[in-house]
């Protein structure tokens, strides 16, 4: 399940440095706008303390964590929706990701230029959001024009889709984001038109505040948004330090918090398998059924699913062994309708 989080923001806010710290990749980082032209893609392990505990429990030979992809997208500027600063290309890169991590510069440093020559995080957020909304408005206008033609020809499918698109257009015209529209994704026509438009402001978003003081309280408007605070420069420095040096200096990386929140932003969760050969975290969508979870292991598990045994990872550890857990009635035998929970340890039976 290769879902991607796009790292976006204005030029020189710390996007590429964050990407480097996250992925341990060497990317081109320079103090000038548009240093990043082609998006860099990196696979990042999701920290999960449960794996080591389960591995010890099972005397596992190998641990396999789950992962998500981060994409370092070049900086947007005002006018991007009209092609400014290679805007069309950058907006296309954002369109391809599943969620957005918007890096916002809070720190002050006269040696690092700001594209607007002043530090104003709220204004910076509005600049990016405005460009994304303008790009979406252009997409919606084209869609409305196409669907109205079909609706005049008595296309019932187009009429239903047009109702949804009109709702989105109304929000965008009012200066609001497309994701604020309440739409029913269970309806096929709705799901299809939303997917076709691939609206930028429909994507889930979190803000990454690049600060010089993690503990400093920010403006209430900034604090109210879904966010994490990072001293991105310090995170970069931690990359080159040994574990002993980090402990001696009593420093802590806050990247795990960002990775976990990004994983959650993608509406993902994990179930676990454990044994002597391997303890592994498997990625599934929240709300996935037991057969769908089995499909993460192998596609045959979906069609050939018979049943699954599931138990919460902590309950399993506390019981001492699978045998004890079964004797105490703690292991559930579930069918096709079971909805997986984060942290379930599962064994699948297929036919």
């Amino acid at each position: 399940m290769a879902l991607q989080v796009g790292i976006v923001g204005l030029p020189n806010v710390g996007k590429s440095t964050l990407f480097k710290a996250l992925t341990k990749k060497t990317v081109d980082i320079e103090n000038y706008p548009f240093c990043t032209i082609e998006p860099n893609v990196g696979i990042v392990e999701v920290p999960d303390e449960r794996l080591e505990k389960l591995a010890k429990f099972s005397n596992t030979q190998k641990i396999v964590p789950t992962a998500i992809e981060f994409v370092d997208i070049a900086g947007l500027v005002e006018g991007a929706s009209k092609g400014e600063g290679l805007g069309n290309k950058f907006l296309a890169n954002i369109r391809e990701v599943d969620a957005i991590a918007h890096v916002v510069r809070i720190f002050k440093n006269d040696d690092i230029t700001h594209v607007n020559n002043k530090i104003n995080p709220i204004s910076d957020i509005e600049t990016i959001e405005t460009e994304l909304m303008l790009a979406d408005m252009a997409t919606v206008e084209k869609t409305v024009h196409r669907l109205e033609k079909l609706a005049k020809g008595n296309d019932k499918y187009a009429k239903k889709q047009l109702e949804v698109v009109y709702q989105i257009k109304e929000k965008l015209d009012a200066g609001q984001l497309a994701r604020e529209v309440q739409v029913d994704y269970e309806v096929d026509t709705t799901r299809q038109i939303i997917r076709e438009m691939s609206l930028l402001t429909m994507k889930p978003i979190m803000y990454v505040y690049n600060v010089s003081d993690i503990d400093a309280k920010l403006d209430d408007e900034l604090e109210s948004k879904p966010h994490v605070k990072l001293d991105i420069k310090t995170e970069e420095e931690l990359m080159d330090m040994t574990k002993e040096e980090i402990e001696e200096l009593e420093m802590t990386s806050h990247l795990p918090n960002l990775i976990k929140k990004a994983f959650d932003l993608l509406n993902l969760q994990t179930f676990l398998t454990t044994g002597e050969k391997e303890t592994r975290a498997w990625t599934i969508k929240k709300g996935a059924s037991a057969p769908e979870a089995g499909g993460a292991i192998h596609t045959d598990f979906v069609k050939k699913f018979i049943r699954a045994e599931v138990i919460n990872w902590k309950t399993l550890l506390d019981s001492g062994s699978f045998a004890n857990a079964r004797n105490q009635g703690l292991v559930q035998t579930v069918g096709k309708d079971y909805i997986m929970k984060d942290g379930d340890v599962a064994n699948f039976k297929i036919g």
Side-chain angles (χ1 to χ4, degrees), residues 7-103:
I7 302 173
V8 307
L10 293 174
N12 291 350
V13 295
K15 299 184 307 300
S16 293
T17 307
L18 172 60
F19 180 81
K20 179 181 176 183
L22 275 170
T23 64
K24 308 301 186 286
K25 273 190 171 185
T26 302
V27 295
D28 194 7
I29 302 171
E30 296 293 344
N31 181 28
Y32 58 86
F34 313 120
C35 166
T36 308
I37 303 299
E38 295 296 334
N40 294 295
V41 180
I43 298 174
V44 179
E45 291 184 2
V46 178
D48 193 339
E49 63 177 15
R50 301 171 299 189
L51 289 172
E52 286 192 12
K53 293 178 180 179
L54 282 171
K56 186 176 181 181
F57 171 86
S58 300
N59 293 317
T60 295
Q61 297 172 17
K62 183 172 70 170
I63 295 176
V64 184
T66 191
I68 54 176
E69 291 185 8
F70 281 88
V71 183
D72 178 24
I73 298 172
L76 270 72
V77 294
E78 189 172 349
S81 59
K82 297 178 181 178
E84 294 291 332
L86 300 177
N88 291 333
K89 184 174 182 59
F90 300 158
L91 291 171
N93 292 149
I94 297 172
R95 205 176 298 282
E96 292 173 1
V97 301
D98 302 284
I100 296 171
H102 181 175
V103 182

Side-chain angles (χ1 to χ4, degrees), residues 53-292:
K53 293 178 180 179
L54 282 171
K56 186 176 181 181
F57 171 86
S58 300
N59 293 317
T60 295
Q61 297 172 17
K62 183 172 70 170
I63 295 176
V64 184
T66 191
I68 54 176
E69 291 185 8
F70 281 88
V71 183
D72 178 24
I73 298 172
L76 270 72
V77 294
E78 189 172 349
S81 59
K82 297 178 181 178
E84 294 291 332
L86 300 177
N88 291 333
K89 184 174 182 59
F90 300 158
L91 291 171
N93 292 149
I94 297 172
R95 205 176 298 282
E96 292 173 1
V97 301
D98 302 284
I100 296 171
H102 181 175
V103 182
V104 182
R105 178 174 170 178
I106 308 292
F107 72 90
K108 296 179 180 179
N109 186 331
D110 293 337
D111 294 329
I112 301 177
T113 60
H114 188 288
V115 70
N116 294 326
N117 296 315
K118 61 179 178 179
I119 307 300
N120 187 335
I122 293 175
S123 175
D124 291 351
I125 289 173
E126 290 174 350
T127 295
I128 297 292
E129 287 187 346
T130 297
E131 294 306 320
L132 298 184
M133 282 192 288
L134 288 171
D136 280 353
M137 288 170 74
T139 300
V140 167
E141 289 286 356
K142 290 178 184 176
T143 305
V144 166
H145 183 68
R146 177 175 62 83
L147 291 177
E148 283 180 340
K149 277 187 175 181
L150 293 171
K152 285 178 182 177
N154 209 27
D155 186 326
K156 293 181 180 179
Y157 204 74
K159 287 180 179 179
K160 288 181 180 179
Q161 290 185 328
L162 201 51
E163 291 175 10
V164 176
V165 179
Y166 280 151
Q167 291 180 52
I168 295 171
K169 185 178 185 302
E170 185 179 350
K171 280 287 184 185
L172 291 171
D173 287 344
Q176 296 175 295
L177 307 177
R179 63 177 166 273
E180 295 176 20
V181 177
Q182 299 297 315
V183 296
D184 187 355
Y185 286 96
E186 296 301 314
V187 179
D188 289 342
T189 50
T190 299
R191 192 165 56 246
Q192 182 183 0
I193 195 63
I194 294 294
R195 186 170 58 246
E196 284 179 5
M197 290 192 294
S198 188
L199 298 175
L200 302 171
T201 64
M202 187 67 80
K203 297 179 187 295
I205 190 168
M206 65 184 293
Y207 297 89
V208 182
Y209 297 144
N210 191 0
V211 301
S212 53
D213 183 355
I214 291 287
D215 298 319
K217 190 176 185 307
L218 303 178
D219 180 280
D220 287 344
E221 186 173 346
L222 293 175
E223 291 282 4
S224 67
K225 297 180 183 293
H227 71 275
V228 293
K229 297 177 190 174
L230 289 178
D231 181 341
I232 294 176
K233 186 61 180 173
T234 296
E235 296 292 348
E236 182 187 27
E237 292 169 356
L238 288 173
M239 283 177 55
D240 301 320
M241 298 170 63
T242 64
K243 183 179 179 181
E244 291 72 24
E245 288 173 332
I246 293 172
E247 289 176 351
E248 185 179 341
L249 293 171
E250 297 183 346
M251 299 176 74
T252 303
S253 172
H254 294 271
L255 287 179
N257 187 30
L258 167 64
I259 298 167
K260 289 176 182 177
K261 286 199 173 186
F263 192 74
D264 189 59
L265 189 67
L266 289 169
N267 198 34
L268 300 175
Q269 65 181 29
T270 53
F271 74 92
L272 309 155
T273 55
T274 186
E276 289 186 8
K277 289 186 178 180
E278 177 183 275
T279 292
R280 180 188 289 252
W282 300 88
T283 302
I284 55 174
K285 280 283 190 181
K286 292 179 181 177
S289 65
E292 289 170 334

Side-chain angles (χ1 to χ4, degrees), residues 273-341:
T273 55
T274 186
E276 289 186 8
K277 289 186 178 180
E278 177 183 275
T279 292
R280 180 188 289 252
W282 300 88
T283 302
I284 55 174
K285 280 283 190 181
K286 292 179 181 177
S289 65
E292 289 170 334
I297 298 174
H298 196 287
T299 52
D300 284 352
F301 280 36
V302 179
K303 292 181 180 179
K304 298 181 179 180
F305 178 90
I306 296 177
R307 62 181 178 273
E309 289 185 331
V310 297
I311 181 173
N312 174 267
W313 72 279
K314 184 68 167 58
T315 304
L316 176 61
L317 292 185
D318 291 343
S319 68
S321 70
F322 271 110
N324 288 344
R326 287 191 179 93
N327 291 336
Q328 295 172 42
L330 299 174
V331 179
Q332 289 180 266
T333 299
V334 301
K336 293 180 179 180
D337 295 334
Y338 178 76
I339 302 301
M340 299 293 291
K341 300 180 181 67

